[in-house]
Amino acid sequence: AEFEHHAPKLLRKLQVVEFNQSIKEPLLRRGVKFTYGDFSSADVLEHCFHGEPKIIISTTPDTMLQGTSNLRILKVAMTVWPKAHIIVTADNPEQASELYDAGAHYVLRSAKLCAERLFELLNKYQTDAGMSDLKRRFDKYKRRENDERRSFVALKV
């Protein structure tokens, strides 16, 4: 939803490799290419994308993955596309460090991203004068979240 909201043209440059076929149609409607398969398999990666992608992103934390890990995905992606920038996801700081040590260009951590957003909001609007603007921002985020939920539900029908 963030890409669709802020950079819809970027969606046409994305390709998703996933086992979950139920997300295929909603992605295709948004212009995102979809390949069914195991992202941790070198054979699947070699055949799903022709050429050399610039960026590889694994957004699923290990706690949600079955039979693989972000470390394995990182190693396979580095082998198949050695020139690509690879972004993976960690569940904690220790795992993030391990992924960086293994060659990740960037590591996503949900807790860290949430803390950064909260810090930005609270630090920028810490005075009473900023509270009305803070409420405006909260309302904007809530409206966007509600719009995204309605959009997601509509896609599943």
Side-chain angles (χ1 to χ4, degrees):
E2 287 297 311
F3 289 106
E4 190 172 25
H5 180 74
H6 294 291
K9 290 180 181 178
L10 184 58
L11 290 174
R12 290 190 293 275
K13 295 182 176 188
L14 298 178
Q15 178 161 351
V16 172
V17 178
E18 173 64 62
F19 272 128
N20 183 356
Q21 290 257 6
S22 70
I23 67 169
K24 180 180 180 176
E25 288 306 315
L27 289 173
L28 292 176
R29 281 196 294 273
R30 288 180 165 96
V32 177
K33 293 176 272 321
F34 179 89
T35 301
Y36 175 78
D38 179 0
F39 191 76
S40 66
S41 164
D43 288 338
V44 170
L45 295 184
E46 287 170 358
H47 293 97
C48 78
F49 187 84
H50 302 290
E52 182 80 20
K54 293 180 180 153
I55 301 174
I56 309 298
I57 306 169
S58 171
T59 59
T60 306
D62 284 1
T63 53
M64 302 294 291
L65 292 172
Q66 294 180 354
T68 192
S69 67
N70 274 274
L71 182 60
R72 172 153 170 68
I73 291 167
L74 171 65
K75 288 178 179 180
V76 170
M78 288 171 62
T79 301
V80 176
W81 299 306
K83 294 180 183 174
H85 296 284
I86 303 171
I87 300 169
V88 289
T89 300
D91 292 307
N92 55 58
E94 294 78 21
Q95 185 186 18
S97 180
E98 178 184 9
L99 290 165
Y100 279 123
D101 290 346
H105 293 94
Y106 187 73
V107 178
L108 299 168
R109 282 196 317 113
S110 295
K112 184 175 185 302
L113 294 172
C114 290
E116 288 170 355
R117 170 62 69 89
L118 283 172
F119 175 78
E120 174 189 317
L121 285 170
L122 298 175
N123 189 49
K124 194 170 185 179
Y125 302 101
Q126 61 186 332
T127 66
D128 286 340
M131 291 308 283
S132 62
D133 194 40
L134 183 61
K135 182 180 178 342
R136 182 186 58 75
R137 277 189 169 250
F138 286 159
D139 289 343
K140 175 184 160 189
Y141 290 140
K142 279 195 282 189
R143 275 193 309 277
R144 205 161 90 206
E145 292 277 331
N146 287 333
D147 290 347
E148 289 169 7
R149 272 198 310 270
R150 280 193 291 274
S151 171
F152 184 73
V153 170
L155 287 173
K156 287 203 161 204
V157 173

